[in-house]
Amino acid sequence: MPTYSLHTHTCGELRPQNIGETVTLTGWVWHRRDHGGLIFIDLRDRAGVTQISFDPEHSGGTAFHAAERVRSEWPIKVTGTVRQRPEGQDNEKLATGHIEVLVSELEVLNTSKTPAFQIEDHVDASEDVRLRYRYLDLRRPKMMANMQLRSDFTFAIREALHNRQFMEVETPSLFKSTPEGARDFLVPSRTQPGHFYALPQSPQLLKQLLMVGGVERYYQVAKCFRDEDLRADRQPEFTQVDIEMSFVTEDDVMGALEEVLRDAFAKVGVDMPTPLRRINYWDAMDTYGIDKPDTRFGMHLHDVTSIFAQSKFKLFATAAKTEGQYVKAINAKGAGKWPRAQIDKLADVAATFGAKGLAYIAFREDGKVTSPIVKFFSEEEMAALKAEMDVEPGDLVMFAVADRKTADEILGGMRNHMADALELPREGHDFLWVVNFPLFHWDEDRKAYAAEHQPFTQPIETDIERLDSDPLSVGSWTYDFVMDGFEAGGGGMRIHNADLQMRILEKLGFTEERAEAQFGFLMEALRYGAPPMGGFALGLDRVCMLLTKSDSIREVMAFPKTSSGSDLMSGAPSEVSGKQLKEVSLRIL
């Protein structure tokens, strides 16, 4: 540890081998206990906690009388002698729990108002209060540990990349507005009235230009900005570890990333065995119902369409005879014991994932079967269903009837919901790749094709001939890094041919004029010997959230926003003066 003039050690540093030494500590008064003849204080700093004691008979009692006045969260400086704790008073939960410091000198460095909430790991204050006083919230040991882990992991990523000849390059925060899937934050230009910069949603285009420029191996711990609706794992500003490589194949990029991630996770005590499993996009969807599956529990999706081809249940039979329609099912083991009213409420849950209803069969532990639809099924259909779904007493089989992707998504959502409701164990961490996403999907709202990853993704060469005849069948060289059921990062190979890039943009609805206006600089660069290239972006906030077992990325960000995008501590966003608006040629309507 570095040495400082105000203290000789941190509050997490002293051990039995320091007994007898004279030390100076600084920190905040955490807990203060006055036992009449003795005063004990738990002194806390970023590194930990040390118990300090005050004896009225020691050093004339000066320090003792000073300690009578101090209160929680006062920053103090103490000097004293390290000694063993009295017999029976060791605290095995603390690294410093076998010693204490008998204080001879105490200096109050400042006082403190009574905090809005107790500085404890388990606080009952609302999140709004914690964010309003975030500087106090950060003092809590859990929050400080989160910040430390984030720092350690970020450094480990940088070190692993640097050791593999990646070059860290900063890209601009003020750039051109380009459509990348979310709304831009716009910044008006004072010197060019009516013109705007955009804060970058990602450095995507710039890192491709760096590859054209010959950097070959680039990375950046990049701040990104997206003006979109928020949720627990999304913020308007976030951090990603941005990576790009040139003169490489997909396997080269994924292999390098696995080495980097393995080394970085190891530095924070997490083992990531390599090589990682690779699951094709459609295999992930058809098995788990989601393109970011948590494979630590089962409840796999099953295609049961053929079982009901001749069924008297019209909904299933019609789907079985209709091209592109499926009957799929999952078995939530144990949920068949639930009361009928509780099971019926699952229809509302399924509706949030796109279902128009929820057909189910509850197999009771007493051998009875509860279901509004079971009366339509023959004995042969029931036997085939039980065999396919591995049905046991106490199981709940749920169905989705729709096109392939919709049925997958409905049951994928129900799979995750039921895993939480049944409190299925999910031990350790789960790492894998999901690869080869479709190049496009159909945007029903816009009635147009949209990029599944982003508009600059390289299609699989053998599929290019179907770009015009069957765009939705075209695959792509893409790969998402999935951790514990979250998309922790994603990337793909990039288009490095200007003509092919133009074809893709046209398929996404761009005219040549619009493509030139928004991406002209990229198209021009691709004509100057652009190399094959591929890259990746790791969601640093999300990975740290998973490493700390937090429920939200706000728990691993120093100063996050609320779900409405507000900073409760500073009051942002806030109004600005008329003068400021006039300087950038704007007025509020």
Side-chain angles (χ1 to χ4, degrees):
M1 293 291 293
T3 57
Y4 296 96
S5 56
L6 282 185
H7 59 257
T8 60
H9 297 76
T10 71
C11 292
E13 190 176 352
L14 298 175
R15 299 291 186 274
Q17 55 264 35
N18 299 109
I19 289 174
E21 295 180 15
T22 299
V23 300
T24 300
L25 304 178
T26 53
W28 283 274
V29 174
W30 195 16
H31 305 126
R32 178 182 175 278
R33 303 178 297 280
D34 191 336
H35 291 180
L38 294 172
I39 294 174
F40 295 95
I41 286 176
D42 293 331
L43 191 66
R44 185 198 71 241
D45 68 6
R46 167 183 136 178
V49 178
T50 295
Q51 177 173 288
I52 58 177
S53 62
F54 299 84
D55 188 329
E57 304 299 323
H58 184 66
S59 299
T62 303
F64 178 85
H65 295 305
E68 289 181 308
R69 300 193 303 273
V70 302
R71 294 294 179 266
S72 294
E73 297 309 309
W74 286 23
I76 62 174
K77 171 185 173 183
V78 297
T79 298
T81 304
V82 181
R83 68 179 185 181
Q84 189 168 356
R85 287 198 185 197
E87 186 176 352
Q89 294 185 20
D90 288 359
N91 186 344
E92 299 294 342
K93 295 180 181 180
L94 292 178
T96 60
H98 297 287
I99 60 90
E100 66 179 13
V101 175
L102 178 60
V103 177
S104 54
E105 298 177 28
L106 181 152
E107 178 182 352
V108 174
L109 302 175
N110 204 347
T111 60
S112 171
K113 294 171 59 177
T114 301
F117 50 86
Q118 286 189 312
I119 311 299
E120 304 286 353
D121 280 343
H122 302 288
V123 295
D124 55 8
S126 68
E127 187 179 44
D128 283 358
V129 173
R130 289 175 52 212
L131 292 179
R132 167 68 180 83
Y133 298 95
R134 188 60 161 186
Y135 42 83
L136 296 179
D137 194 43
L138 288 171
R139 290 185 192 174
R140 296 191 298 120
K142 178 175 174 55
M143 285 300 299
M144 191 54 61
N146 288 355
M147 294 297 104
Q148 185 64 60
L149 183 140
R150 180 182 177 122
S151 175
D152 292 343
F153 184 72
T154 304
F155 177 77
I157 283 274
R158 276 195 161 102
E159 184 178 39
L161 289 163
H162 181 79
N163 289 343
R164 289 166 176 81
Q165 288 75 55
F166 282 83
M167 183 189 300
E168 184 169 12
V169 182
E170 292 185 0
T171 54
S173 293
L174 296 176
F175 197 58
K176 183 181 178 67
S177 177
T178 56
E180 294 186 34
R183 285 181 295 272
D184 287 326
F185 282 102
L186 300 177
V187 181
S189 170
R190 179 184 60 82
T191 57
Q192 299 182 49
H195 291 70
F196 295 81
Y197 300 105
L199 300 180
Q201 294 186 31
S202 76
Q204 177 61 51
L205 300 181
L206 291 163
K207 67 180 179 181
Q208 290 183 236
L209 296 180
L210 289 173
M211 296 303 101
V212 179
V215 171
E216 292 194 16
R217 288 189 165 213
Y218 142 92
Y219 84 93
Q220 179 182 189
V221 180
K223 185 70 77 173
C224 304
F225 306 86
R226 293 180 185 175
D227 186 7
E228 56 188 351
D229 295 334
L230 307 183
R231 60 190 184 204
D233 60 341
R234 182 181 287 171
Q235 284 276 297
E237 53 182 319
F238 58 95
T239 304
Q240 67 183 35
V241 182
D242 206 48
I243 297 167
E244 197 80 5
M245 304 169 67
S246 59
F247 297 109
V248 288
T249 66
E250 181 185 47
D251 287 336
D252 295 328
V253 179
M254 295 173 72
L257 291 170
E258 286 184 0
E259 291 181 5
V260 168
L261 292 170
R262 179 199 63 206
D263 290 359
F265 280 120
K267 288 292 181 70
V268 293
V270 174
D271 179 39
M272 189 189 87
T274 55
L276 297 182
R277 290 171 295 157
R278 298 186 185 186
I279 303 178
N280 183 276
Y281 168 83
W282 277 114
D283 288 338
M285 292 297 296
D286 289 339
T287 304
Y288 302 101
I290 195 168
D291 59 12
K292 42 183 179 291
D294 189 335
T295 66
R296 293 174 295 179
F297 62 96
M299 212 187 306
H300 295 169
L301 279 62
H302 292 251
D303 182 354
V304 295
T305 310
S306 61
I307 293 176
F308 299 103
Q310 305 301 321
S311 180
K312 292 182 180 179
F313 187 47
K314 188 175 180 180
L315 177 65
F316 286 10
T318 300
K321 296 171 185 176
T322 304
E323 184 177 357
Q325 293 293 299
Y326 293 81
V327 182
K328 296 195 173 187
I330 59 171
N331 183 357
K333 289 189 169 294
K337 306 172 187 176
W338 290 2
R340 171 72 179 268
Q342 186 177 1
I343 295 175
D344 286 342
K345 289 180 181 178
L346 292 175
D348 294 333
V349 178
T352 65
F353 303 120
K356 296 178 181 178
L358 183 68
Y360 69 84
I361 303 175
F363 296 87
R364 300 297 185 180
E365 290 184 298
D366 60 5
K368 294 181 180 179
V369 177
T370 305
S371 169
I373 63 173
V374 72
K375 61 186 177 184
F376 298 104
F377 297 153
S378 67
E379 291 183 7
E380 291 77 13
E381 288 169 344
M382 285 296 289
L385 178 68
K386 288 180 179 180
E388 175 68 25
M389 302 303 298
D390 186 28
V391 170
E392 299 172 313
D395 290 354
L396 177 68
V397 175
M398 292 171 281
F399 301 89
V401 181
D403 62 85
R404 182 183 185 184
K405 187 174 183 181
T406 301
D408 286 345
E409 289 175 340
I410 291 169
L411 292 182
M414 293 304 297
R415 176 178 180 267
N416 283 339
H417 173 83
M418 296 305 292
D420 290 338
L422 293 167
E423 298 182 346
L424 296 185
R426 279 162 272 191
E427 301 296 333
H429 292 291
D430 184 37
F431 303 104
L432 57 94
W433 293 109
V434 174
V435 300
N436 302 138
F437 286 68
L439 189 65
F440 303 114
H441 66 266
W442 181 254
D443 187 327
E444 190 60 39
D445 293 333
R446 294 174 49 244
K447 304 296 182 185
Y449 295 110
E452 184 70 28
H453 257 219
Q454 35 95 333
F456 318 107
T457 299
Q458 175 72 36
I460 293 175
E461 288 76 3
T462 55
D463 292 353
I464 291 176
E465 62 185 23
R466 298 198 302 275
L467 266 176
D468 296 323
S469 61
D470 190 8
L472 295 180
S473 72
V474 177
S476 64
W477 293 116
T478 42
Y479 34 86
D480 275 3
F481 174 62
V482 179
M483 178 179 177
D484 302 346
F486 287 82
E487 178 194 335
M493 303 304 292
R494 319 301 186 194
I495 297 170
H496 63 283
N497 177 280
D499 293 336
L500 178 58
Q501 182 64 78
M502 189 64 237
R503 284 188 68 187
I504 299 299
L505 291 174
E506 287 175 343
K507 191 58 61 180
L508 294 171
F510 285 80
T511 63
E512 188 171 345
E513 292 74 19
R514 183 184 167 208
E516 182 64 30
Q518 294 194 301
F519 301 114
F521 61 95
L522 173 67
M523 306 292 284
E524 181 73 3
L526 295 181
R527 296 186 176 95
Y528 284 92
M533 65 184 89
F536 179 76
L538 182 76
L540 184 63
D541 312 293
R542 191 169 295 174
V543 170
C544 291
M545 176 189 78
L546 296 171
L547 288 172
T548 59
K549 302 187 185 306
S550 300
D551 295 327
S552 164
I553 61 172
R554 292 191 288 270
E555 296 300 297
V556 294
M557 303 176 78
F559 300 104
K561 307 291 189 294
T562 66
S563 58
S564 65
S566 299
D567 180 345
L568 299 180
M569 183 183 66
S570 70
S574 59
E575 296 180 349
V576 297
S577 68
K579 178 182 178 183
Q580 289 173 288
L581 291 173
K582 186 176 181 181
E583 286 175 340
V584 293
S585 303
L586 292 177
R587 69 171 182 265
I588 305 297
L589 296 179

